[in-house]
């Protein structure tokens, strides 16, 4: 574990983790704490992630820019996020990120774990 302040410059972010076409995930702070990590997710216009969950990790989303949505409950519930909004996605909850708009969506993601986990599924309720 790091015992001093750690800064990750935006210019050093690189694509990482479980990618879905149109969604770009970039680790910002990983392997620095046993209990928390952070990443950036950029959703290209008219894209959506695979249905997925984050295993035992709780996830907090901060919508930095653009307008997107989190779909959950087997596709039956859609919650919109705009700049400044937050969302909590509990551990093991299946969901999908969606950008139906013409602009990129950027979300800052914080998870309860040392490194982010993304388990893409073949559909709702299918591992």
């Amino acid at each position: 574990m790091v015992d001093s302040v750690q800064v990750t410059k935006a210019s050093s972010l690189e694509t990482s983790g479980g990618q879905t076409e149109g969604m770009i995930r970039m680790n910002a702070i990983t392997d620095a704490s046993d209990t928390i990590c952070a990443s950036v997710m950029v959703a290209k216009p008219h894209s959506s992630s695979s249905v997925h969950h984050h295993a035992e990790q709780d996830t907090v989303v901060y919508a930095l820019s653009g307008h997107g949505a989190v779909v959950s409950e087997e596709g039956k519930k859609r919650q919109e996020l705009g700049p400044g909004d937050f969302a909590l996605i509990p551990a093991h909850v299946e969901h999908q990120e969606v950008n139906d708009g013409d602009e990129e969506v950027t979300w800052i993601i914080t998870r309860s774990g040392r490194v982010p986990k993304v388990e893409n599924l073949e559909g709702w309720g299918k591992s």
Side-chain angles (χ1 to χ4, degrees), residues 73-108:
E73 297 180 15
E74 297 187 350
K76 297 174 189 146
K77 186 172 188 180
R78 179 183 173 106
Q79 295 175 283
E80 304 289 332
L81 281 84
D85 293 342
F86 286 85
L88 170 64
I89 303 170
H92 298 285
V93 170
E94 294 180 5
H95 62 283
Q96 181 179 42
E97 296 104 12
V98 177
N99 177 5
D100 291 328
D102 295 327
E103 299 178 348
E104 287 187 347
V105 169
T106 302
W107 291 348
I108 307 303

Side-chain angles (χ1 to χ4, degrees), residues 23-61:
M23 306 299 235
I24 302 165
R25 292 184 172 99
M26 299 170 283
N27 288 345
I29 297 176
T30 59
D31 286 326
S33 165
D34 289 335
T35 59
I36 197 168
C37 62
S39 58
V40 178
M41 188 279 301
V42 177
K44 297 292 185 184
H46 306 285
S47 66
S48 60
S49 70
S50 296
V51 174
H52 65 281
H53 64 78
H54 301 288
E56 71 280 356
Q57 295 179 336
D58 290 324
T59 300
V60 172
V61 174

